[in-house]
Amino acid sequence: MIPRRSLLLGLAGLPLASLYAASCGLPLRKPSSSDDPLRAADPETLRQGGVFRWPVDDFPKNFNALQADMSGYTRDIVAPCMPVPFRADSRGNLTRRDEYFTAIGLEPGEPQTVVYTINPEARWSDGTLITWEDLHWQWRALSGADERYLVASTTGYRDIAHVGKGVDERQAVVVFARPYADWRKLFGLLYPKTTNNDPDVFNKGWIFGRGGLRIPPVTSGPFKIGPYDEDQGRIAMVPDPHWWGRAPRLDSLVFLGLPKEAQIGALQNGEIDYMNLLASAPALAVAENTKGLDIRPGPSSTISALVFCGRDGSICADRGLRRAVAKGIDRDRIAATLIGSVSASPAAAYNLVFLRSSTGYGDHREALPYDPRAARAELAALGYRRPRIRFVIPAQNPTGADIGKILQQMLAEIDVDLVIEPVPSAEFFRSHINVGDFDLTTFRTECSPYPSDSAPTYGRYRTARGEPDVQQNYGQIGSERLNQLLDQMQAELDPGRMRQIANAADREIAEIAHSLPLFETPYNYAVRSAVRNFGASGVGDMDHAAIGYAPDA
């Protein structure tokens, strides 16, 4: 289980002045949808070897994707080398990973019980077998019972009563205390027992020092962790010779920490092999006119949203004020302005739990409609006169500033002063969002095939000691009804009924003005033309072993 990630909005590539200068005179062709965004090819037909350089906006400090201090990009980096029970396609359909499990079955009757039969060949990179104990200790670490483990989320794991041994060491039996609908997402990414059976190793064992890796961490996948350089923000994944599945085509998969504004230049100069252009028209124009690149539009997996902060003392702790402010925001206009020229189908989003491409999507604009007249009246009734709201955004993020300028104009019409407050990008989450130092902000929230992934983002929970347990609910806003709906959603094993409850939860998110979806972020991948099996896959999982270069490249 990986919780939803909150990502810097990063819709633009370079600062606007620089990009427009760089693209001056270049034609821009609006991308059209593609039936083959990955440029799919049989991996066996691809050239053996080659390096693929993959930029990440924010290079992680902690490579434990289950730990609270994970970066939004931690999962991208460790996914090629850690076990996952199921692989999702771009529409969220799931297929069992045979390399790791020969069978995963939901047993009939009560209590809810799932049996995992581990592939006899499955092992960790140090040669030890993957056993039931690895699943047992991941449950123990993420259950929330031991507060020494600083976890990103307890969703799903806290509903498990016991993880025990099956017929032998290679079978785990998971018994639930309460029904949990999205049980298929659990134990992925799976970390080894040696990480999860020690709180100190769980919290700090995947923080790699400046001296590089003295002892490579234990992994399991087609790739393992290779050379690492914290100062350069660089980590390489190299083929694991002990991998028993299909061998990867690449010699190495290199992740580079590179600010979004620097990526288009690096792509032009041949220093990286792909960039997600998102909604940047100038970056798209540059990429379209750079030799050797393909533009590969594909399904999105993120929703760009406005997020309120309702912590004690914040002006937006007032639910009535939040609703009034939201009614002064025209999402259709924002979507048309920001993504109209770079999206095949620009449209505002009116659901935070489901993407439009997902089964179950419901349009809930009526729960929080654009109505500036009502907004002015509601603010007056609440006694507000020209309320001042801090809009905190990362510095050097032009689209955040662009959204701020649009919002300033809109909210001025309802007598709200929006103050745009740029902060250093490296401190945006750590020093502001994570601690509730904002009134309003914007970032992208990552969706997944599992609706229950929304619980840590929109539920309001407390620890066993009664202290606030923020998880990914950075605005610290919630309601008892929303918690009840999220709990019901997580416990409903019937998929159709579960989707109905999830939509009721999304309507409640709108009713309390927790967050405001703006649009599904366009995913326009600029990729080296010779690269195959790589592109925008929506909520789907990348097959890293299949990525490679055409034989004539």
Side-chain angles (χ1 to χ4, degrees):
M1 178 280 303
I2 298 297
R4 287 188 169 201
R5 299 180 293 166
S6 298
L7 309 173
L8 297 181
L9 192 61
L11 293 175
L14 291 171
L16 290 182
S18 300
L19 258 181
Y20 277 117
S23 62
C24 182
L26 296 178
L28 174 66
R29 299 179 296 277
K30 181 175 179 176
S32 58
S33 58
S34 169
D35 293 330
D36 185 22
L38 302 182
R39 302 296 189 269
D42 181 350
E44 297 301 320
T45 68
L46 302 182
R47 173 165 62 89
Q48 184 66 51
V51 177
F52 186 79
R53 296 158 299 177
W54 183 325
V56 294
D57 303 357
D58 183 20
F59 196 70
K61 297 293 185 184
N62 194 328
F63 291 87
N64 182 352
L66 310 177
Q67 206 270 346
D69 291 331
M70 70 167 189
S71 158
Y73 296 93
T74 304
R75 188 185 195 281
D76 288 340
I77 293 176
V78 301
C81 59
M82 302 304 289
V84 177
F86 294 91
R87 175 177 282 138
D89 67 14
S90 61
R91 297 187 64 83
N93 301 308
L94 302 174
T95 303
R96 174 170 42 83
R97 291 289 304 274
D98 293 339
E99 301 98 327
Y100 296 111
F101 298 96
T102 57
I104 303 176
L106 177 64
E107 299 289 290
E110 296 180 354
Q112 181 183 350
T113 302
V114 181
V115 177
Y116 294 78
T117 303
I118 302 165
N119 187 320
E121 296 184 82
R123 64 190 64 244
W124 298 104
S125 56
D126 64 358
T128 59
L129 299 179
I130 297 177
T131 74
W132 71 275
E133 289 189 89
D134 294 300
L135 282 75
H136 170 87
W137 280 104
Q138 184 136 320
W139 159 61
R140 290 279 297 272
L142 301 182
S143 67
D146 187 340
E147 293 185 5
R148 293 178 299 168
Y149 290 91
L150 305 179
V151 304
S153 172
T154 62
T155 300
Y157 292 98
R158 63 173 175 257
D159 298 310
I160 295 174
H162 180 66
V163 177
K165 180 180 175 181
V167 296
D168 57 27
E169 297 286 326
R170 306 288 261 174
Q171 190 175 77
V173 179
V174 180
V175 180
F176 287 80
R178 294 169 296 278
Y180 180 62
D182 278 330
W183 58 268
R184 292 172 182 82
K185 76 175 184 177
L186 301 177
F187 307 107
L189 306 165
L190 179 65
Y191 279 73
K193 168 187 172 181
T194 51
T195 289
N196 290 319
N197 68 358
D198 184 329
D200 192 56
V201 175
F202 180 90
N203 293 326
K204 302 176 183 178
W206 289 75
I207 300 173
F208 308 150
R210 277 191 160 78
L213 300 176
R214 289 176 297 175
I215 302 175
V218 176
T219 58
S220 178
F223 290 90
K224 65 177 182 177
I225 296 176
Y228 168 77
D229 188 326
E230 182 183 27
D231 291 330
Q232 296 294 320
R234 182 183 186 277
I235 188 168
M237 300 294 168
V238 297
D240 187 340
H242 302 298
W243 171 244
W244 58 96
R246 187 182 66 217
R249 307 308 293 180
L250 295 171
D251 287 334
S252 64
L253 182 59
V254 178
F255 294 91
L256 302 166
L258 198 61
K260 199 70 177 178
E261 60 268 19
Q263 289 181 19
I264 189 66
L267 190 68
Q268 282 183 293
N269 296 333
E271 298 166 8
I272 57 176
D273 297 306
Y274 119 91
M275 176 185 174
N276 188 353
L277 306 171
L278 299 169
S280 172
L284 177 60
V286 171
E288 285 180 334
N289 290 276
T290 298
K291 186 177 180 180
L293 294 179
D294 282 347
I295 306 301
R296 304 180 183 180
S300 178
S301 64
T302 62
I303 297 172
S304 296
L306 294 174
V307 179
F308 289 98
C309 181
R311 63 171 174 78
D312 291 344
S314 169
I315 188 172
C316 293
D318 186 330
R319 175 180 178 272
L321 177 120
R322 295 197 305 270
R323 284 188 56 83
V325 169
K327 288 180 181 181
I329 298 172
D330 186 347
R331 286 177 269 179
D332 289 322
R333 183 171 138 202
I334 291 175
T337 302
L338 292 179
I339 66 173
S341 64
V342 298
S343 174
S345 54
Y350 292 97
N351 196 307
L352 281 161
V353 178
F354 293 103
L355 294 163
R356 286 199 304 271
S357 60
S358 302
T359 303
Y361 176 82
D363 185 319
H364 300 141
R365 73 184 73 197
E366 80 287 347
L368 200 55
Y370 173 56
D371 189 342
R373 179 177 297 179
R376 283 191 296 270
E378 290 172 17
L379 287 170
L382 290 168
Y384 286 104
R385 297 290 182 269
R386 303 296 304 184
R388 180 183 183 274
I389 292 178
R390 296 168 56 232
F391 184 60
V392 177
I393 58 171
Q396 295 184 322
N397 187 315
T399 299
D402 289 347
I403 290 176
K405 292 172 185 175
I406 296 171
L407 290 175
Q408 276 183 328
Q409 295 173 0
M410 290 180 179
L411 296 180
E413 297 173 7
I414 62 168
D415 298 326
V416 170
D417 289 326
L418 189 76
V419 178
I420 301 174
E421 187 175 313
V423 299
S425 297
E427 299 297 323
F428 176 64
F429 276 106
R430 186 179 303 114
S431 301
H432 297 276
I433 306 308
N434 291 354
V435 297
D437 181 25
F438 65 99
D439 296 329
L440 185 66
T441 190
T442 183
F443 48 71
R444 293 182 287 131
T445 182
E446 183 87 7
C447 296
S448 83
Y450 308 104
S452 66
D453 273 348
S454 59
T457 303
Y458 305 111
R460 193 171 189 183
Y461 304 108
R462 292 192 174 274
T463 67
R465 292 185 297 192
E467 298 169 348
D469 183 12
V470 174
Q471 300 191 37
Q472 276 77 57
N473 187 351
Y474 302 116
Q476 303 175 44
I477 294 170
S479 72
E480 183 176 345
R481 172 170 166 73
L482 180 54
N483 270 31
Q484 290 172 348
L485 288 168
L486 293 172
D487 288 344
Q488 292 172 21
M489 174 184 69
Q490 292 174 329
E492 180 53 65
L493 297 179
D494 177 78
R497 175 61 183 155
M498 187 266 286
R499 287 191 289 268
Q500 291 177 356
I501 298 170
N503 273 299
D506 184 76
R507 281 191 292 271
E508 179 66 9
I509 292 169
E511 289 289 345
I512 65 174
H514 178 292
S515 302
L516 198 66
L518 297 177
F519 47 80
E520 294 178 12
T521 315
Y523 272 23
N524 293 318
Y525 276 28
V527 187
R528 298 287 164 207
S529 301
V531 174
R532 298 292 180 268
N533 300 320
F534 183 85
S537 57
V539 297
D541 295 308
M542 191 68 64
D543 184 352
H544 299 90
I547 301 171
Y549 288 88
D552 55 352

